[in-house]
Every structure is written in structure tokens, then in C-alpha cells.
Amino acid sequence: MAGQPTAAVSARFVAAVKCMNGGGDIKQANEWLMSFTTMDAAWAVTMQCLFQREIPTIGSAEELDFLHFHAANILKDKIRRSGESLPPPARVKLRQRLVQLINGYHAKGSTTVARQLCIGLANLAVVDDQWNDVILSCARGFSALSQREMLLDVLKYVFKKCCRRPSTHACVYGTDGRTDGRTQSINQQLKHICLQLKVLEVDHHVLVVQQ
């Protein structure tokens, strides 16, 4: 399977997701999708799928949305499990593409897909130890007023995942009562996220009322 070209894996992925949506052997399709999540090709296949607005074998908008949701779901889980194994340049490129995709799906009203991608971006922020300006990067990526909801979602997920991840949790709170430079840096970042969330939540509610 590892030797298959990406095009072949992509076609198999589309077929398996279609099967999950009704028709065919669902158990077999699910088993293949489980194995697909462990493939290196899954990075390129899910990303390519998410950027596609038309796929010849997909006949309706509902089927396309279902496919995009599965691609986003698999991608965000793969980031959580294997994102830190990507080389730094690949993580930066992935970050940029996620922001682009989130804005695109949010603009077209595909909130379920956008939300999965927000979680994926938050996962990347947690596993990428070289991403030191998470808040600033996200603020730049979601700078428009209409994108404020996505910025709020990403920051919320980053905060939750920083607190829940065992290694980060231990580092933040310390296991021996002492703090080092990295612990202080993480604590500071969490404080900034909390502050941003309070400000953005107020702004978001005001916008909702005005609309």
C-alpha cells in the first residue's frame, strides 16, 4: 500500500468515503480508512481533497460536503498524532494552508468542515514546538471582522488542548513546584490566550446582537 501513487490512494479514499455514506461494504470501507490514517500519503490526499471544489465521482453537493468533512476530520487527527514528526518547513506550510482552508470553508458556510480544520490548526499549535507566535499568527490569518468567529474558535481549542495534553499540562503547572524558562513561556502564552478569549467573546456577542 505504501508504494501506491497518491492518485490511486486518493481515488480509493473517495470511494471509501462514498461507501460510508451509503451503499457497498461499510465495514471494509471503514477498515481501509483506518489504515489510510496511518499512511504518509494521507497528508497530501486529504489536503488535495479539501482544496477541490469538484470531483468527477462525486455527484452532489451533499456528497462533496461529506467527503470534505471526512478529509478534515482525518487531517486534524493526523496532525494530533503525527504532526510533530513533520519537518519544520512542512509544518509552516501546513499552517498556512489550514488558515486558507478555514477562511474558505467559513466564507462558503461550511461550518462543520471549518470547525474540524480549526481543531487541526489548534493541534498543530500544540505539537509544533517551533511555532512561538501562535496568537499573532492566528490574528493575522483571521484579521477580517467576518473571520473573528474562526479566530475565537482556534484560540479556544488551543487553550483547551494545552491544558489537556499531559506533557504540556505537567510543564505548565510543574511537578516539583519549580518553573523554568519554557514553563514561564507557556504560562505567559496561556494568559495571553485567556485575555484574548475574554475580549473576543465580548466583541463576538456584540456583533451577533448588532446583526
Side-chain angles (χ1 to χ4, degrees), residues 8-9 16 38 42 57 67 88 90 106 108 123 128 138 141 146 152 176 190:
V9 179
T38 66
T57 55
L67 178 66
H106 179 251
K108 69 190 289 282
N123 286 340
D128 188 352
C138 289
S146 60
L152 178 60
D176 57 2
L190 289 175

Side-chain angles (χ1 to χ4, degrees), residues 98-112:
L98 283 170
V99 171
Q100 183 180 353
L101 285 167
I102 291 168
N103 284 328
Y105 279 99
H106 179 251
K108 69 190 289 282
S110 298
T111 55
T112 55

